[in-house]
Amino acid sequence: MSSGPPVQKEYRRDDSCRIEAMWDVGEAPPRPGEPVEVAAGVHLLLAPNANHWTYEGTNTWIVVGDGRAVVIDPGPTDPGHLDRIDEVVRGAGARVETVLLSHHHGDHSQAASAVAERWQAAIRPRVQQGVIPDGTRLDLGRRTEIRTLSTPGHTSDGVSFSLGDRRVMLTGDTVLARFNPYISHPDGTVADILGSMARIADLVDDDWILLPGHGPAVREPTTYLHARIADRQRRIDQIAGLLADGVAREQITDHVYAKVDDQRRPAARASVEAILHYLDTRAVRMREKGSTV
Ligand SMILES: [Zn+2]
């Protein structure tokens, strides 16, 4: 049973829904600054900010309807990137109405004000958490409707954007292809990310495509998400097992992420802290339950 807003399941494989090009797992990324129309009216512009946090860089998404465009995750305030965004929008005969953010992290949100100022557009959410209500619809015309879906977990303010007519969902850092994104503890939580992954898996089916905030697209998303939820569950069980074996909490990251390099270590540590917090909360709840019996 779905707890979220109804997502349009109907889809006709006509010209307006054709997938033009897609960045798939195992393929070279598009060049930063060279836009790719991955579905009708859905343009990917890879930002020139590749580093150990952003992998190939931030995926900026430009969704164009009938003369109206939305920029999702404008990325870094790189003048060239801002100019490329403008070119894509103008090239499609549109103007930017709204800047949407999948979450507050700077690699996604830094250029929000700059894009909004260039186009006199609104930014949503302007501040964190709850400002875009779940299920908000943005109708851009030409059968292009974006619906918001609250998907916390990586951070507390995570939002995904569904284009039901295209069978496409933009997931920010809630879901990535190739691996699970880290949990930004204490803002993000394990309980939230598991809930958000299950929610997306429930709302889409394997004909949909997820378009993440970094890296290539996710095909067969329901199957993929169930596998990734199982991965997270295994990690939780592994850490619970290490604690039961008497491994000190501060040693857990070294045990679990022995091969992670120094640059990725803070993200690994944040995910481990999030799992330790999840296990602590679960233990307290079980004790409380036990004491009332
Ligand atoms: Zn992030």
Side-chain angles (χ1 to χ4, degrees), residues 102-108 154-155 172-173 182 184 214:
S102 65
H103 63 300
H104 70 276
H105 281 166
D107 55 324
H108 298 257
H154 168 70
T155 57
D173 288 0
Y182 81 101
S184 189
H214 304 278

Side-chain angles (χ1 to χ4, degrees), residues 63-104:
V63 181
V64 183
D66 189 12
R68 285 167 281 166
V70 162
V71 178
I72 298 173
D73 289 349
T77 47
D78 175 278
H81 186 59
L82 295 176
D83 289 345
R84 296 294 92 70
I85 292 173
D86 290 355
E87 284 165 20
V88 173
V89 174
R90 287 208 182 88
R95 51 174 297 105
V96 179
E97 261 190 359
T98 310
V99 176
L100 293 175
L101 299 174
S102 65
H103 63 300
H104 70 276

